[in-house]
Amino acid sequence: MLAVCRRTEKLVGSVDISGSKNAALPVLSACLLTDDKCVIRNMPDLEDVRIMFALLRKMGKTVKFENNRAEVTGQLRHGALPEKLVRKLRASVLVMGPVLARLKEGSFALPGGCALGERPIDIHLLGLKAMGAAYSILRGRMIFKRNVLKGAHIKFSFPSVGATENLLLAAAAASGRTVIENASVEPEIADLCLFLKAMGADITRTGSVYTVKGKARLGGADFAVMPDRIEAGTFILAAASVGGSARVDSANPSHLGALLSKLRAAGVKISQKENSVTVNSPKKIKPVNIVTGPYPAFPTDLQPLWAVCMMRASGRSQIRDKIFPARFMYVDELKRLGASMVLKNAVLRINTSRLSGTNIYACDLRAAAAMIIAGLMAEGETRVYELKHLFRGYENFFGKLRKLGANVSMERIREEK
Ligand code: UD1
């Protein structure tokens, strides 16, 4: 599939944000910690979520999914993850913690790199090792064995979101007390902790330190996933970039602090209520620099969308990504539209740009959304290929954009003549 975008003068109206992908994935993994029934509502209908369902099924679980409600039942039987699924979903590493909490062994295909650059899992592995899991690598697989998974005092070298989740999952059902220092505090982790507590886990957090008292048995739970702050940020930035006035509903503004303050600094009018954000984009916006970092700093996932927005600012701005310093693969594609950008020493400098449509190729999930929004700003027609990336993480993206008046459609790719 490809996206066909035409210049759109403004976005007007309102959109509803779906459940959070990055909260849904660890919550699904947490279902492996019990054989009781778990019901998860507000589950976004996404490719990544469906791959996680396939992983759970592979391990013995039954998953039913209808109208954004997932029901997970059945026993965890196997702890072996096939390479095909692991390659499709990096977040599949999140099942390591629960598998090792419940089974004496597990084997996982190595996740490998991705379009955001090198993505090691050493912090996950050091934590699991400290808890008593030994592993070796054989023919591209990590083979884990443990006697007892026991609580440990772990200090992360860097606050990794995935490692924090994996270790919390393992610790919730391990024997004894685990302390995780210098951990991540992203809202999606708070959501995972809420779900784990609903299952009976004992978790407390003080600053960036989590303390978990492991429980021999965790039960089922009925839970609703938080709204997707990255999807909310995407639509907020779409309105700020294209122009107009849009209300983004079912969003939690308190999760979007860094983005909203940067937009205000750029001159974009923002008003917020408890569950919605309204954006009024002026004719001219000011250039504003960003540096991404662990929450509550500016999220790396919104960095490509910020770059697109800054192309219409009157002056030069810059982006430094401290989480994924190589996350600039989209720059060359945007240049094909006429983006005036220079990437040097891992800093992207963005100048005011006049865009005109052509064919471009999405390289990852957030870059795909950024390119489609750039296509709405460009003169003429922009065709964005490789939409498979977009479907991994945005539910009904085109329907939502069209509801705001965006001139965008999806087409099947026809064979070249
Ligand atoms: C999660 C999000 C992703 C987001 C990212 C940063 C999910 C499913 N994905 O990814 O959308 O962009 O957080 O907010 O929630 N690192 C190591 N060793 C490790 C683990 C991480 O060096 O063992 C490094 C990574 O290479 C990266 C940084 O730490 O440079 C942050 O990664 P991490 O927070 O773990 O991101 P993910 O959990 O993979």
Side-chain angles (χ1 to χ4, degrees):
M1 301 294 270
L2 77 137
V4 182
C5 317
R6 290 185 188 84
R7 187 175 166 82
T8 302
E9 290 307 320
K10 55 187 177 186
L11 297 181
V12 180
S14 66
V15 274
D16 253 326
I17 295 308
S18 300
S20 161
K21 167 178 86 72
N22 288 355
L25 295 173
V27 161
L28 283 171
S29 180
C31 296
L32 295 169
L33 290 170
T34 182
D35 293 339
D36 294 353
K37 178 162 97 178
C38 293
V39 174
I40 303 145
R41 300 167 203 278
N42 204 31
M43 177 66 70
D45 190 350
L46 304 169
E47 188 55 27
D48 275 10
V49 163
R50 288 181 182 272
I51 298 169
M52 192 55 127
F53 289 163
L55 276 169
L56 297 188
R57 289 187 182 115
K58 201 90 202 154
M59 290 185 281
K61 291 282 191 183
T62 302
V63 184
K64 289 187 196 150
F65 184 52
E66 215 173 23
N67 297 328
N68 297 103
R69 177 188 181 275
E71 193 180 291
V72 185
T73 51
Q75 255 185 317
L76 169 65
R77 290 209 176 85
H78 318 275
L81 282 196
E83 184 187 341
K84 213 170 130 198
L85 290 175
V86 171
R87 277 199 182 273
K88 279 190 186 165
L89 180 69
R90 261 203 68 88
S92 57
V93 294
L94 294 177
V95 307
M96 290 194 300
V99 164
L100 288 169
R102 299 209 57 210
L103 304 177
K104 289 213 176 240
E105 52 185 52
S107 99
F108 312 97
L110 282 165
C114 79
L116 308 186
E118 198 200 358
R119 293 190 65 181
I121 55 165
D122 54 316
I123 304 172
H124 302 239
L125 295 176
L126 275 175
L128 291 171
K129 208 171 147 199
M131 295 182 77
Y135 71 92
S136 54
I137 294 178
L138 191 67
R139 289 189 214 100
R141 297 185 72 80
M142 289 173 291
I143 319 284
F144 282 90
K145 286 196 191 323
R146 56 102 170 153
N147 279 325
V148 180
L149 198 74
K150 50 185 193 314
H153 196 122
I154 299 155
K155 187 169 180 185
F156 285 169
S157 55
F158 183 86
S160 151
V161 174
T164 304
E165 293 166 344
N166 227 340
L167 274 288
L168 286 170
L169 288 160
S175 92
R177 181 167 169 270
T178 299
V179 176
I180 314 168
E181 277 189 62
N182 194 29
S184 300
V185 294
E186 265 68 2
E188 293 77 11
I189 303 175
D191 220 41
L192 170 65
C193 288
L194 282 177
F195 182 62
L196 287 169
K197 284 181 189 176
M199 295 174 83
D202 182 343
I203 303 176
T204 51
R205 174 172 81 84
T206 311
S208 61
V209 181
Y210 294 84
T211 304
V212 187
K213 288 183 194 135
K215 291 282 175 77
R217 190 184 177 282
L218 294 172
D222 190 324
F223 187 73
V225 173
M226 64 177 259
D228 195 314
R229 68 188 167 106
I230 304 302
E231 189 199 1
T234 301
F235 282 97
I236 289 168
L237 281 167
S241 306
V242 174
S245 163
R247 198 181 71 228
V248 178
D249 288 332
S250 310
N252 184 341
S254 71
H255 292 162
L256 292 160
L259 170 67
L260 299 184
S261 78
K262 288 290 180 184
L263 279 171
R264 285 185 175 115
V268 177
K269 283 209 178 70
I270 304 281
S271 59
Q272 57 192 77
K273 291 199 174 135
E274 202 185 334
N275 290 312
S276 76
V277 176
T278 303
V279 188
N280 271 293
S281 194
K283 276 224 147 29
K284 280 195 170 171
I285 62 171
K286 287 177 255 177
V288 174
N289 301 340
I290 60 158
V291 179
T292 72
Y295 187 83
F298 196 99
T300 170
D301 287 354
L302 291 178
Q303 175 265 96
L305 294 125
W306 187 260
V308 166
C309 186
M310 283 297 110
M311 288 197 289
R312 64 164 284 230
S314 43
R316 175 190 280 190
S317 58
Q318 67 178 46
I319 298 178
R320 181 187 292 274
D321 195 327
K322 281 194 172 170
I323 303 290
F324 296 115
R327 189 177 203 157
F328 290 110
M329 303 262 282
Y330 61 87
V331 170
D332 280 346
E333 292 303 303
L334 289 182
K335 280 185 180 170
R336 295 169 61 81
L337 294 179
S340 170
M341 297 179 171
V342 182
L343 180 62
K344 203 173 163 194
N345 300 330
V347 174
L348 181 66
R349 294 206 169 81
I350 306 150
N351 302 304
T352 318
S353 311
R354 258 192 100 80
L355 306 182
S356 60
T358 185
N359 294 343
I360 52 177
Y361 289 78
C363 47
D364 67 67
L365 164 60
R366 306 303 169 188
M371 286 179 198
I372 290 169
I373 294 165
L376 300 177
M377 297 158 71
E379 289 300 338
E381 187 179 281
T382 302
R383 297 164 82 82
V384 184
Y385 289 82
E386 295 291 348
L387 276 194
K388 62 175 191 234
H389 296 293
L390 186 86
F391 302 133
R392 281 188 36 221
Y394 287 98
E395 187 177 64
N396 189 21
F397 191 67
F398 291 92
K400 290 181 187 185
L401 266 185
R402 274 199 297 265
K403 187 163 179 274
L404 293 174
N407 201 337
V408 67
S409 57
M410 248 189 312
E411 274 183 18
R412 276 190 195 289
I413 297 175
R414 285 189 297 269
E415 291 297 318
E416 295 271 310
K417 281 188 192 139

